[in-house]
Amino acid sequence: MNYKLVFIDDNMREGLEHPFVRAIGKKRKSAELSVFIDPSKGLDYVLNNLNSKMIVFLDYKFDGYSLQGINVLKEIRKRTSLLYIVMMSANSINQIAGLDILEMINENYIWFFDRNNGTIDDACNLIDKINRLWNVRFDCILENWIIKHPNDANKKVFSQPGQEESYTWERILVELREQTPIGKMFEKLINQFYIYNLTTKSEQNAEDNNSIQ
Amino acid sequence: MNEHGALKWRFDVSTFRLIGRDLITDRVTALFELVKNCYDANATDVTITFNNVSSKQSDSFISVADNGIGMSFVDIRDKWMVIGTSNKREHSYTPEPIKRRCVGEKGIGRFAVDKLGDIVNIRTKQINEDKWLEVVIDWNAYFDKSKEKGEIQLFTDIENEYSYTDADNISEHGTRLLITGVREAWAKGDIMRFISEISKIVSPFADFSYPFKIRVIAPEFNIDTLASRNIDDVNIATLSFTLDYNTFQGYQEVAKYNELSGNIEIDKIPLKSFGGIRMRVYYFDETARRKYRKDFPNNQIDGIKIYRDGVITTPFAENEHDDDKKRDILGIDKRIWMNIFDRVSSREIIGLVEITKEGNPLIIDATNRQDFVDNEEYKELKDFIIKQLDCIENYKKYRRKAKKKESQGTLEVAGQNILDFISSVESITRDNPNLKESFAPVIEQAKKTGKAVRTAIKEKKEAEEEFARKENIYMSIMSLQEYAIHITHAVRTTLNKIRDRVEYFDMFFPDQDEEELFKRYAKEMFREFKVLNRVIDYMLSYSQSNLHPEDIELNDTIREIYSEYAPIFTSNQVIVDLVLPGKITLKDTRKQFFRDIFQNLLDNSVKAVRNTDKKIVRCEVVLEKEKLIILVSDTGYGIPVENRQWVFGIYNTTTQEQGGAGIGLYIVKTRVESLKGHIEIIDSEFGDIGTTVKIELPFKK
């Protein structure tokens, strides 16, 4: 298993046997599939699995449920801004309420999938696109590193000044995915470190070049 | 910090277009958004100046200046120039001591300036700062950029100049937006319309410790006025009432229509769950509406607004010129199709509902600030507001009947007068035969007039009958129109289910390992076709005016319908209990009506039991003397006693959140009534749980 594909849609009562889900499962074999027709159950599952690589296919409109797609999106975003969400709608994007569009366009990791016109291949292409993006994301790179170097997983690599608690790579991965203050701070620190490192390196190179001249 | 520099926006072209061009559709909305920002900046005075805007001239500008808290460099960089991260979303109230409820929408106000002009100069300062910060934004640059072909996606290449100038007085604070290169010319009417819209932010009855005064100046039109809603404009209303409350004595006033006097009276009831409210309603009949349009051409009669502590909450400080696009949050207009002639629409009333933060704490602002949290108290408040409109509806009915009677009477009296006249003249000529010749033309004329009046009376009656017929057709078309929306949703969902399976076949068929699955998908597609057919039949049946009468066996019909529901019952684990007597033949009846009745009742029952442990749907048919009684019951969540009648009205639903459209029971009721029967909801056969619907139909053995 490489990543999770979660479908939250009240019209997918057949679960994993739903043809749309099943077809995607057959075409993208490395994905672990789950289907929820009740948006609150789907939301619970997503929130309990934030430390996994996951794409959520989320229906926009749930007939008969007070929780709607936009609410699920908001609840997920309260916990993490890293998760990829594919909003599915039987209506075109123009028919979605203006304010909901506003909520969505401000999101970084969100796509739309038109259930009337989009094909299974379109959905698979979207999954591939997200997979490519994963390859450059810090948490995903870290996950790959841990998979390839299992011995590093439990190495204590980070601690905060003045605090005894220290963090392993495995723990940092969880903190990153759940977007905890520690996770966010660590990501920022790492980025700053590399920028600093590259800058000083380039200055050093420049100095070296100058000294050579 | 640099004294001069450049600031960059942080969003992409498509976002810019979406917000700037799609959401802010007209200039009045644009300016309205900017004033809302002033309100949120704790300003107490705002001055909007239009300079030479009637034609595009080099010195034309629009300025919006306030004495609010102003913006810092960081505010501009991190809030003003970043969309969707509006500070207002995190803080729904403005800073102390004013603590206003924010009215601006998610930072789109700043895009409003784009709608108004090419270049905006922002001059802003916070208290105790010794310098004014000025930022210049030239929108042309963005558009030039966005027109360029290629890979340019972000605006980050474009810089906006900023600079600082010394302040004469450090205690000054506020923001001024100076918009030049004004895009479109403003006529006097446009400015007046803006004044009318902006005046609605604050209740005309509010008493503020921190006022919000908006002054509008347009020298070329001799406009220099404070934009505040004038309560004089409701003086020409046909009918009005004010409801108050008293917390200490624990009562809420309600409006009551007195059928005998034709007047609205005020009654008292115990305080409702949402707390006491003050409500003023002004109703305008056709004549008053004409006068209103003539007297206040820039104002609109625009329904009920809710103000909390004097400031508008919903409809949320929006300017929507197109009435059809206005949000019908209180659900006033969706009721209109139930009875287009008597229902009150938001275009006939001006209403103000005043609530307070302290007195109505359970009416909670929704996070999107477009409405309130949909809790029981808010539902009760909406219900309360709608019920107050019922008495205006009764008044309308009363007036319509009285008018009809009046005009009918006048014509009949005129006809009788002519007959009396002819009879008097004939009597005179009998007594004085010499006058007969002289009076002959008069009698002839009177007879002709009399005939014309009788024809007029006859035509009027025919016209009324025709009107009644058209009224019926019109109303059924309107219901159908709304109904079609639901039908298309149902059709589309079904089509998608079929499409998914067809696509699966296309991709993976044949595959021996999945033979069973393919068979199942084929069966499911077949079933979906049946559903689709049912939906279409149902739609057609509703539009048919002449349903063919036939003899039906009631038990067979009921069994037939229940068997069609078998897959739904099975998938929802519903137990069905059918108690039917011997053969019942109904003569010359309409089978489709029975189908409509049972299908809707069963749909409701299935929905009602979906989340309950005990899932039983029961139908019992009882034969009484000249009466056929059908009881349809379920063990679902039930209908509160107070709603037992209400649920039969079109669009009246207790399950709106679950997608209920409030159409099903309306159809059931109209169908039962077409069969000369009666329908009601009685105490549940299952005791404390569930619902029992009782239908009584006339029946002769």
Side-chain angles (χ1 to χ4, degrees):
Chain A
M1 191 274 295
N2 199 348
Y3 58 97
K4 289 182 197 290
L5 279 181
V6 181
F7 297 86
I8 310 177
D9 186 335
D10 57 339
N11 282 315
M12 292 185 173
R13 299 197 169 269
E14 303 86 345
L16 295 172
E17 301 265 282
H18 188 280
F20 182 72
V21 178
R22 197 173 167 84
I24 290 176
K26 285 180 76 150
K27 292 203 148 220
R28 295 293 173 270
K29 293 201 162 60
S30 52
E32 182 193 295
L33 309 174
S34 324
V35 181
F36 297 90
I37 50 168
D38 182 338
S40 59
K41 286 186 180 149
L43 177 64
D44 285 348
Y45 177 82
V46 171
L47 295 182
N48 288 327
N49 287 280
L50 284 181
N51 57 353
S52 309
K53 244 161 86 176
M54 182 161 43
I55 303 171
V56 181
F57 279 80
L58 176 62
D59 191 17
Y60 175 72
K61 189 173 182 291
F62 289 84
D63 283 325
Y65 294 90
S66 54
L67 203 64
Q68 294 298 305
I70 190 79
N71 309 117
V72 174
L73 170 73
K74 283 182 195 168
E75 289 302 316
I76 293 173
R77 285 297 181 244
K78 276 184 195 167
R79 290 278 301 277
T80 180
S81 55
L82 291 179
L83 194 73
Y84 286 95
I85 294 172
V86 181
M87 209 66 161
M88 296 187 292
S89 172
N91 293 328
S92 73
I93 188 168
N94 301 331
Q95 286 166 293
I96 292 175
L99 281 160
D100 286 354
I101 287 187
L102 259 185
E103 295 283 348
M104 290 186 238
I105 59 165
N106 289 317
E107 298 290 347
N108 283 325
Y109 300 113
I110 190 159
W111 275 269
F112 286 96
F113 186 72
D114 177 353
R115 281 288 276 129
N116 281 332
N117 301 306
T119 62
I120 288 165
D121 282 336
D122 292 336
C124 289
N125 288 339
L126 201 53
I127 294 166
D128 295 344
K129 196 174 165 183
I130 293 171
N131 264 307
R132 283 195 294 275
L133 288 167
W134 262 330
N135 292 335
V136 295
R137 249 175 52 184
F138 182 74
D139 59 319
C140 301
I141 295 169
L142 179 59
E143 188 183 30
N144 275 333
W145 181 273
I146 293 172
I147 291 167
K148 284 180 189 158
H149 307 89
N151 293 339
D152 289 350
N154 291 318
K155 277 184 188 163
K156 288 180 179 173
V157 288
F158 175 65
S159 63
Q160 283 183 281
Q163 284 185 16
E164 283 184 15
E165 198 177 3
S166 52
Y167 296 84
T168 62
W169 278 126
E170 201 152 41
R171 173 85 185 277
I172 285 169
L173 182 63
V174 174
E175 304 283 338
L176 280 171
R177 292 261 161 89
E178 295 193 353
Q179 287 281 282
T180 62
I182 290 285
K184 283 181 188 169
M185 190 184 75
F186 185 80
E187 193 170 9
K188 198 175 163 187
L189 278 175
I190 286 282
N191 286 329
Q192 282 173 347
F193 170 73
Y194 276 103
I195 292 166
Y196 171 80
N197 223 1
L198 291 170
T199 312
T200 41
K201 214 172 184 180
S202 111
E203 281 168 3
Q204 187 64 47
N205 286 342
E207 276 173 24
D208 292 348
N209 287 339
N210 286 340
S211 61
I212 291 166
Q213 281 165 1
Chain B
M1 190 185 293
N2 292 332
E3 286 297 295
H4 297 276
L7 282 166
K8 292 174 181 180
W9 295 90
R10 298 177 180 178
F11 50 79
D12 63 73
V13 180
S14 59
T15 310
F16 173 82
R17 282 184 175 153
L18 187 68
I19 304 280
R21 298 287 164 177
D22 293 347
L23 287 182
I24 301 191
T25 50
D26 80 295
R27 309 172 274 173
V28 172
T29 308
L31 208 46
F32 193 75
E33 291 296 331
L34 297 182
V35 176
K36 286 199 260 176
N37 282 350
C38 302
Y39 183 86
D40 292 347
N42 271 353
T44 52
D45 285 295
V46 183
T47 304
I48 296 135
T49 310
F50 294 87
N51 190 63
N52 274 342
V53 290
S54 61
S55 58
K56 282 176 79 172
Q57 290 180 24
S58 57
D59 65 342
S60 53
F61 69 79
I62 300 168
S63 98
V64 181
D66 70 40
N67 63 345
I69 51 177
M71 287 183 279
S72 66
F73 179 85
V74 174
D75 284 341
I76 294 213
R77 189 193 61 197
D78 293 349
K79 293 173 191 164
W80 220 81
M81 303 192 83
V82 183
I83 85 152
T85 52
S86 171
N87 192 36
K88 287 170 216 154
R89 276 204 299 185
E90 288 151 33
H91 307 287
S92 40
Y93 285 87
T94 67
E96 300 274 7
I98 299 186
K99 270 199 102 174
R100 286 175 178 157
R101 183 176 175 277
C102 289
V103 295
E105 283 192 44
K106 296 174 187 169
I108 59 170
R110 65 208 66 164
F111 294 90
V113 294
D114 159 52
K115 188 80 194 163
L116 298 168
D118 292 335
I119 302 166
V120 61
N121 177 306
I122 307 165
R123 187 170 184 268
T124 186
K125 186 176 111 47
Q126 294 184 319
I127 196 162
N128 296 332
E129 291 289 333
D130 57 359
K131 285 180 170 40
W132 285 90
L133 167 62
E134 274 193 43
V135 182
V136 180
I137 299 164
D138 182 354
W139 297 95
N140 278 333
Y142 297 100
F143 277 98
D144 292 345
K145 210 72 187 166
S146 64
K147 276 178 201 157
E148 280 178 26
K149 287 179 183 172
E151 287 296 304
I152 296 167
Q153 288 290 315
L154 298 166
F155 280 116
T156 44
D157 292 338
I158 301 156
E159 294 176 342
N160 299 287
E161 285 174 23
Y162 71 87
S163 61
Y164 286 93
T165 50
D166 288 333
D168 297 333
N169 177 359
I170 63 157
S171 64
E172 268 187 305
H173 52 90
T175 302
R176 186 216 55 194
L177 305 178
L178 182 71
I179 299 156
T180 50
V182 174
R183 289 247 161 86
E184 292 165 84
W186 287 68
K188 189 177 182 181
D190 298 327
I191 297 176
M192 296 307 289
R193 187 160 71 86
F194 164 68
I195 294 172
S196 156
E197 289 301 328
I198 208 73
S199 64
K200 288 171 198 160
I201 284 192
V202 172
S203 162
F205 304 102
D207 178 22
F208 289 112
S209 13
Y210 296 98
F212 184 60
K213 287 187 197 152
I214 308 157
R215 187 176 166 205
V216 181
I217 304 171
E220 66 193 300
F221 301 121
N222 289 326
I223 296 173
D224 185 349
T225 183
L226 281 179
S228 58
R229 190 158 201 188
N230 191 344
I231 46 175
D232 292 343
D233 60 1
V234 292
N235 281 347
I236 57 169
T238 319
L239 184 81
S240 67
F241 59 84
T242 300
L243 307 175
D244 216 327
Y245 67 99
N246 188 313
T247 317
F248 299 108
Q249 293 175 23
Y251 70 79
Q252 170 69 53
E253 289 182 346
V254 287
K256 200 178 104 185
Y257 178 73
N258 184 327
E259 279 185 23
L260 294 173
S261 67
N263 292 326
I264 287 174
E265 292 168 358
I266 307 295
D267 234 348
K268 285 177 188 170
I269 57 164
L271 277 174
K272 302 290 256 180
S273 66
F274 48 79
I277 63 161
R278 192 167 286 123
M279 182 173 175
R280 298 164 210 254
V281 179
Y282 304 88
Y283 162 69
F284 298 77
D285 67 7
E286 184 54 41
T287 319
R289 285 204 295 279
R290 264 203 302 272
K291 186 165 168 35
Y292 188 92
R293 280 195 291 269
K294 194 166 156 268
D295 292 356
F296 309 101
N298 300 303
N299 286 5
Q300 285 171 337
I301 296 172
D302 54 0
I304 292 181
K305 301 195 184 320
I306 303 180
Y307 290 83
R308 194 198 291 267
D309 297 311
V311 176
I312 193 150
T313 52
T314 184
F316 193 76
E318 61 177 349
N319 165 51
E320 179 54 69
H321 197 48
D322 182 351
D323 285 332
D324 294 331
K325 287 184 185 164
K326 281 185 176 165
R327 277 188 285 266
D328 185 23
I329 283 171
L330 294 170
I332 294 171
D333 291 328
K334 73 173 181 183
R335 304 153 56 252
I336 200 159
W337 306 120
M338 184 171 177
N339 184 340
I340 196 151
F341 298 96
D342 296 323
R343 282 291 200 221
V344 173
S345 87
S346 60
R347 294 170 210 190
E348 295 170 287
I349 46 168
I350 291 179
L352 292 101
V353 173
E354 292 174 52
I355 60 172
T356 61
K357 201 176 154 200
E358 275 182 16
N360 312 87
L362 296 172
I363 303 298
I364 304 158
D365 300 330
T367 44
N368 68 6
R369 298 178 300 116
Q370 295 299 327
D371 199 356
F372 297 105
V373 170
D374 200 14
N375 55 19
E376 285 308 311
E377 290 75 17
Y378 180 42
K379 276 182 200 153
E380 197 170 23
L381 173 64
K382 282 201 276 193
D383 196 36
F384 179 87
I385 293 171
I386 298 279
K387 275 185 183 144
Q388 304 318 303
L389 300 184
D390 282 352
C391 56
I392 296 182
E393 283 156 13
N394 286 328
Y395 169 81
K396 276 177 84 174
K397 267 184 222 163
Y398 174 86
R399 287 296 310 150
R400 212 153 69 91
K401 270 187 199 160
K403 213 169 166 183
K404 197 172 156 187
K405 217 170 161 184
E406 218 171 85
S407 69
Q408 184 91 9
T410 315
L411 266 180
E412 272 164 12
V413 168
Q416 192 54 49
N417 283 348
I418 290 167
L419 287 177
D420 290 349
F421 173 77
I422 294 169
S423 149
S424 304
V425 173
E426 279 176 342
S427 159
I428 292 169
T429 52
R430 265 198 306 276
D431 294 344
N432 304 284
N434 55 331
L435 292 176
K436 194 174 178 180
E437 205 174 325
S438 316
F439 273 115
V442 179
I443 292 172
E444 186 60 27
Q445 189 59 44
K447 278 183 177 168
K448 273 186 190 168
T449 313
K451 200 178 166 193
V453 171
R454 280 194 300 278
T455 311
I457 292 170
K458 195 179 158 210
E459 278 176 3
K460 191 168 180 292
K461 270 188 187 162
E462 280 172 6
E464 271 170 10
E465 279 166 16
E466 177 67 9
F467 178 74
R469 199 177 66 83
K470 281 185 178 163
E471 188 177 352
N472 283 337
I473 294 170
Y474 188 46
M475 281 164 64
S476 71
I477 289 169
M478 283 308 171
S479 307
L480 185 66
Q481 231 177 27
E482 187 66 22
Y483 190 60
I485 295 169
H486 296 272
I487 295 283
T488 41
H489 184 249
V491 169
R492 194 166 246 184
T493 308
T494 312
L495 282 177
N496 278 346
K497 283 185 186 173
I498 296 168
R499 198 274 324 268
D500 282 341
R501 284 157 181 79
V502 171
E503 201 179 0
Y504 194 88
F505 264 84
D506 184 40
M507 279 185 160
F508 303 110
F509 188 81
D511 181 342
Q512 275 193 334
D513 295 343
E514 294 203 314
E515 207 166 317
E516 285 307 309
L517 187 81
F518 284 119
K519 274 185 194 166
R520 210 182 83 199
Y521 282 171
K523 275 183 189 162
E524 283 167 358
M525 280 194 270
F526 185 59
R527 195 184 64 208
E528 290 303 329
F529 271 111
K530 280 208 245 174
V531 173
L532 199 56
N533 264 331
R534 205 185 111 202
V535 169
I536 291 164
D537 285 347
Y538 194 20
M539 191 175 168
L540 286 173
S541 81
Y542 198 66
S543 65
Q544 273 172 325
S545 54
N546 293 317
L547 289 160
H548 180 65
E550 60 187 314
D551 294 351
I552 64 162
E553 294 300 332
L554 184 64
N555 291 349
D556 292 347
T557 305
I558 293 175
R559 282 198 189 96
E560 191 181 300
I561 298 165
Y562 273 67
S563 68
E564 285 165 18
Y565 270 76
I568 300 172
F569 291 141
T570 312
S571 66
N572 286 282
Q573 296 164 320
V574 176
I575 300 163
V576 180
D577 183 14
L578 272 180
V579 185
L580 304 175
K583 195 175 172 185
I584 303 166
T585 308
L586 298 170
K587 297 270 183 197
D588 285 337
T589 192
R590 287 162 178 81
K591 191 175 179 179
Q592 188 57 46
F593 284 15
F594 284 90
R595 295 192 70 87
D596 292 348
I597 291 166
F598 279 98
Q599 281 169 352
N600 278 295
L601 291 178
L602 291 180
D603 281 342
N604 284 354
S605 291
V606 170
K607 266 189 246 168
V609 298
R610 191 166 285 160
N611 297 318
T612 55
D613 297 333
K614 200 174 169 186
K615 300 175 202 292
I616 304 172
V617 174
R618 186 171 194 274
C619 173
E620 184 178 2
V621 179
V622 182
L623 266 179
E624 283 187 4
K625 197 185 170 192
E626 300 197 336
K627 242 194 257 176
L628 179 71
I629 294 170
I630 304 169
L631 299 166
V632 181
S633 309
D634 64 58
T635 49
Y637 45 68
I639 296 170
V641 179
E642 61 271 24
N643 287 340
R644 283 184 180 178
Q645 225 182 329
W646 180 80
V647 289
F648 289 109
I650 192 166
Y651 300 127
N652 291 353
T653 174
T654 52
T655 57
Q656 199 160 14
E657 293 76 15
Q658 287 89 50
I663 290 173
L665 283 178
Y666 170 75
I667 293 173
V668 172
K669 184 168 184 274
T670 50
R671 291 306 201 208
V672 170
E673 284 170 355
S674 305
L675 295 166
K676 310 266 183 269
H678 172 76
I679 185 165
E680 63 179 322
I681 289 167
I682 58 170
D683 291 340
S684 170
E685 285 188 306
F686 295 103
D688 291 341
I689 54 164
T691 303
T692 296
V693 178
K694 181 183 177 190
I695 297 168
E696 275 186 29
L697 297 174
F699 179 74
K700 277 184 187 164
K701 281 186 183 173

